[in-house]
Amino acid sequence: MQWESLGFKENPFSTDPITIDTLPLYIGHAEEVEICNDVVSQKDILMIIEGQRGVGTTSFANFLRFSMQKQKLYLTPRNEIRVNPDWSLETLLSAIISNTIREIEFFQPTKITKDKRFQDAKSLSTRIAETYRSFGIDAFGVGVSYGRNSGISSQPVIVPASVLGHHLEDLATLVKLSGYKHGILLQLNNLDIGTIHEEKYLRYLFNALRDYIQTRGISWILVGDIGLRRFITQQVDRLDDIVTYEAEITPLNRSEFDELIQKRIEYFRSNPKVYIPIDHEVFTYLYDVTKGRLRYIFGLLHRLITRVHVGDLTDKLTLDIAKPMVIRLAKERIAKQKLTSTDEQLLQLLVKLNQACVSDLAKQTKKSINYVSNILAKLLKLKLVTFQKQGATRQYSPELDATVAYSDVK
């Protein structure tokens, strides 16, 4: 099924974050946008943006960055830097330099690219990338990819971090000379504690990165799951001292969500007569069942349209058609994980409770704490549950697939 056959230039519900080309599609968080725009319009800032996965933290940060670039306050790479598990400081700085060089080379005047400082940084970046490739690693497209257990020590260190820092500072100087008032604005993503990164690793990375964050002409936005700011406050004093501002992004409210859907329909349809073949009740149901998690909603909408083949089998996707399909899709995804009946029962209980610690689940199921902990560890690895730390206690919650699949289970 092609969206073009329904009268749209492309999928209006793409899960891709906001880019510099789709800034007009951004909706919501007006008060936070105003405050953050004021903060980011200053120089040499460090901002932390956190929120539940799928609510639009990356889009929010991208909107800030690209708005600043349009005002010529900062140059910012088109790609956010997605920090992989166990990256060394040198790997991260190399990825940052590579993405910055690409942005300058592709989109800035040749006067900059002919400067010796740019040529030196590019030559170094190319040499580092070639060395990584000789290790069988893809370098710097969206970052270097290692396995979860590869470890920092397994990464080749070609150039000391201090040298990389000097090249980054040179690039910032060049960018300011080319007309961007405050230099370079960088965005680090995937800073999710427990689900992507271990606490021990992020303590290392943030402590090591602190001095480079204070480089003149460089500003930073750190994006992660709920708990990132608290972790930095409690675990990384050196970084906590220099945070300029923090923002928590919550799901859009219902009216903002409706406005977003309408704006996307208008933006992507081929002509004004085209309408979306989905009942408004379907959007409302998806908003409610996912608690406003946009990435999940858009993914479901695309799969629903693909499954139903609207235009061939029916004129419109109604709630009567959509709701059982959504539940079935979620159950199909869970079924691929080959859960035991006990695993599934515990997952259903967690959906019913919405949030619980190990001891609560142990009491409810009349199982030992160790037994419940082992099941939760398995579900966590399968990305069917998540957790937040409250003091020394982990509070577990179901991921959206589980919530959608078992919300109707009595």
Side-chain angles (χ1 to χ4, degrees):
M1 190 281 301
Q2 297 294 325
W3 281 96
E4 289 83 353
S5 66
L6 298 176
F8 290 86
K9 290 174 284 189
E10 58 183 89
N11 178 10
F13 306 118
S14 169
T15 57
D16 293 339
I18 290 293
T19 67
I20 195 168
D21 298 318
T22 57
L23 282 181
L25 290 178
Y26 190 79
I27 290 290
H29 308 108
E31 183 177 347
E32 205 63 68
V33 165
E34 184 178 357
I35 295 171
C36 289
N37 269 333
D38 183 59
V39 173
V40 180
S41 65
Q42 303 168 38
K43 65 178 182 178
D44 302 337
I45 63 98
L46 170 60
M47 179 179 289
I48 297 171
I49 296 174
E50 64 178 17
Q52 291 180 310
R53 277 170 290 163
V55 301
T57 49
T58 297
S59 286
F60 180 87
N62 283 354
F63 181 78
L64 296 178
R65 291 194 298 126
F66 297 135
S67 297
M68 294 298 106
Q69 179 157 288
K70 283 186 174 293
Q71 297 174 46
K72 297 284 283 189
L73 293 178
Y74 287 99
L75 178 137
T76 186
R78 275 159 172 72
N79 290 333
E80 63 272 7
I81 312 299
R82 300 165 193 166
V83 182
N84 281 19
D86 294 333
W87 269 8
S88 67
L89 174 63
E90 290 79 11
T91 301
L92 176 57
L93 291 175
S94 298
I96 289 171
I97 290 172
S98 177
N99 277 271
T100 303
I101 286 171
R102 183 188 296 114
E103 183 67 28
I104 293 172
E105 190 167 39
F106 288 173
F107 303 104
Q108 298 304 313
T110 55
K111 180 181 178 181
I112 306 178
T113 60
K114 290 179 179 178
D115 190 287
K116 185 178 184 300
R117 288 166 290 185
F118 178 85
Q119 292 294 332
D120 288 345
K122 181 182 177 182
S123 176
L124 179 67
S125 178
T126 300
R127 180 160 63 90
I128 293 171
E130 288 173 351
T131 304
Y132 275 115
R133 279 193 287 272
S134 72
F135 278 75
I137 301 166
D138 291 329
F140 311 144
V142 291
V144 183
S145 180
Y146 298 91
R148 177 66 184 253
N149 299 316
S150 62
I152 296 169
S153 61
S154 68
Q155 300 168 33
V157 176
I158 301 98
V159 179
S162 57
V163 175
L164 294 169
H166 289 315
H167 282 289
L168 187 58
E169 190 171 5
D170 284 345
L171 291 174
T173 299
L174 282 174
V175 165
K176 287 196 286 186
L177 289 173
S178 69
Y180 291 89
K181 182 177 180 181
H182 296 324
I184 297 170
L185 179 57
L186 300 168
Q187 179 175 328
L188 305 187
N189 268 38
N190 287 7
L191 300 175
D192 301 338
I193 302 163
T195 53
I196 295 180
H197 299 290
E198 301 292 343
E199 290 187 1
K200 180 180 179 181
Y201 166 70
L202 282 184
R203 275 196 297 271
Y204 149 76
L205 184 67
F206 288 151
N207 276 303
L209 189 61
R210 194 255 198 192
D211 294 334
Y212 300 92
I213 285 178
Q214 291 188 286
T215 301
R216 294 184 66 181
I218 308 284
S219 286
W220 305 73
I221 299 177
L222 308 184
V223 180
D225 209 343
I226 293 290
L228 175 61
R229 182 66 180 98
R230 183 174 65 248
F231 172 79
I232 291 173
T233 299
Q234 296 176 348
Q235 304 285 342
V236 198
D237 287 343
R238 294 187 75 239
L239 193 62
D240 180 51
D241 293 339
I242 60 171
V243 173
T244 309
Y245 186 74
E246 62 275 347
E248 180 178 334
I249 304 306
T250 56
L252 298 179
N253 62 40
R254 180 69 62 76
S255 62
E256 290 171 333
F257 175 70
D258 290 341
E259 184 182 355
L260 174 63
I261 295 298
Q262 190 57 41
K263 177 167 278 195
R264 283 177 171 263
I265 291 170
E266 293 174 359
Y267 187 87
F268 287 107
R269 63 186 175 186
S270 300
N271 66 70
K273 295 181 180 180
V274 170
Y275 69 95
I276 196 75
I278 304 172
D279 269 352
H280 186 264
E281 288 181 329
V282 175
F283 292 113
T284 300
Y285 164 70
L286 293 177
Y287 176 89
D288 290 340
V289 77
T290 66
K291 300 177 183 177
R293 304 270 283 275
L294 293 177
R295 188 167 61 211
Y296 200 92
I297 292 171
F298 290 167
L300 282 173
L301 284 169
H302 181 68
R303 289 195 291 274
L304 285 173
I305 291 290
T306 301
R307 287 285 187 101
V308 174
H309 294 287
V310 173
D312 296 330
L313 302 181
T314 184
D315 291 331
K316 185 169 285 192
L317 183 62
T318 64
L319 183 59
D320 289 341
I321 297 171
K323 185 173 181 180
M325 284 185 65
V326 167
I327 294 171
R328 186 168 74 249
L329 283 168
K331 287 184 175 178
E332 286 174 359
R333 287 160 68 96
I334 291 175
K336 293 177 182 177
Q337 307 298 343
K338 307 295 183 184
L339 300 182
T340 67
S341 59
T342 307
D343 297 338
E344 194 168 9
Q345 287 169 11
L346 187 70
L347 188 56
Q348 289 179 13
L349 176 60
L350 191 56
V351 170
K352 180 180 177 181
L353 297 174
N354 189 45
Q355 187 180 75
C357 63
V358 174
S359 58
D360 291 336
L361 293 169
K363 289 177 183 178
Q364 291 268 358
T365 58
K366 298 181 180 179
K367 303 288 185 182
S368 72
I369 287 178
N370 284 341
Y371 185 83
V372 171
S373 293
N374 288 335
I375 295 177
L376 287 172
K378 176 182 176 180
L379 296 176
L380 188 64
K381 186 176 181 181
L382 294 174
K383 297 184 178 179
L384 293 174
V385 303
T386 186
F387 71 86
Q388 290 184 29
K389 290 190 74 173
Q390 295 182 3
T393 304
R394 288 186 174 188
Q395 289 289 337
Y396 288 88
S397 301
E399 287 283 18
L400 279 176
D401 276 333
T403 299
V404 172
Y406 299 127
S407 287
D408 286 348
V409 175
K410 302 301 182 183

